[in-house]
Amino acid sequence: MVINNITIKKLEKSDINKILQIEKSQNVTILKETVILDDMSNSNNTLYFGAIYNDIIVGYIAITYVIDTIDILSIVTMKNYENVGVATLLLEYIFNFAKKNNVNKIFLEVRTSNTKAINLYEKNNFKLISKRKNYYTDTKEDALIYLKEIKKI
């Protein structure tokens, strides 16, 4: 099943609790509330976009954007909205954002155990370029580094 009528919008400080609820639905904490608030208050380079369905934020993506490079910080969908295309729509939105802003490369890192995310990234033509040993301090798990090169319009 794929959900239609999802829109993507830039998230604001008033959406922080919804971002945290999305992470809680997946039993993860990727970005702390203080980090998100600081990003939204003080950073022109860190952006958060939400997938909206029936006036509910059902997923979000956070990126840093510097000159011609984007780093994806996190992408999470509500537990109830997994496997219906929300994460793919968020990635496609970022790919279009990248093209419009002359971004050449999109990077991300992912835990080696996160096979769902790895499958999503590889399906969207991210290429594995490196591995960081013991990257995640909580579990000493390795991180896989992926790159997607963006073709000019």
Side-chain angles (χ1 to χ4, degrees), residues 86-147:
V86 174
T88 299
L89 282 174
L90 287 164
L91 285 174
E92 288 172 356
Y93 184 87
I94 296 306
F95 301 156
N96 288 326
F97 176 91
K99 287 176 186 172
K100 290 177 188 170
N101 290 282
N102 296 312
V103 168
N104 300 324
K105 296 177 180 178
I106 301 175
F107 292 93
L108 61 83
E109 67 210 20
V110 60
R111 291 175 186 268
T112 54
S113 64
N114 193 345
T115 55
K116 277 187 184 180
I118 291 167
N119 290 337
L120 172 70
Y121 302 141
E122 290 179 353
K123 182 178 95 180
N124 282 279
N125 299 311
F126 281 86
K127 303 296 181 217
L128 178 63
I129 60 167
S130 183
K131 180 190 262 190
R132 291 192 179 136
K133 298 292 276 171
N134 304 318
Y135 181 76
Y136 294 98
T137 56
D138 60 340
T139 62
K140 302 291 186 215
E141 189 172 357
D142 298 343
L144 301 176
I145 311 303
Y146 279 84
L147 165 66

Side-chain angles (χ1 to χ4, degrees), residues 20-49:
L20 297 173
Q21 287 173 352
I22 292 167
E23 290 190 358
K24 187 176 181 183
S25 81
Q26 290 288 2
N27 201 27
V28 297
T29 302
I30 298 170
L31 300 170
K32 295 186 184 327
E33 181 176 2
T34 54
V35 171
I36 299 169
L37 182 60
D38 187 54
D39 286 345
M40 289 183 171
S41 300
N42 302 316
S43 175
N44 294 326
N45 298 22
T46 304
L47 302 170
Y48 291 74
F49 297 98

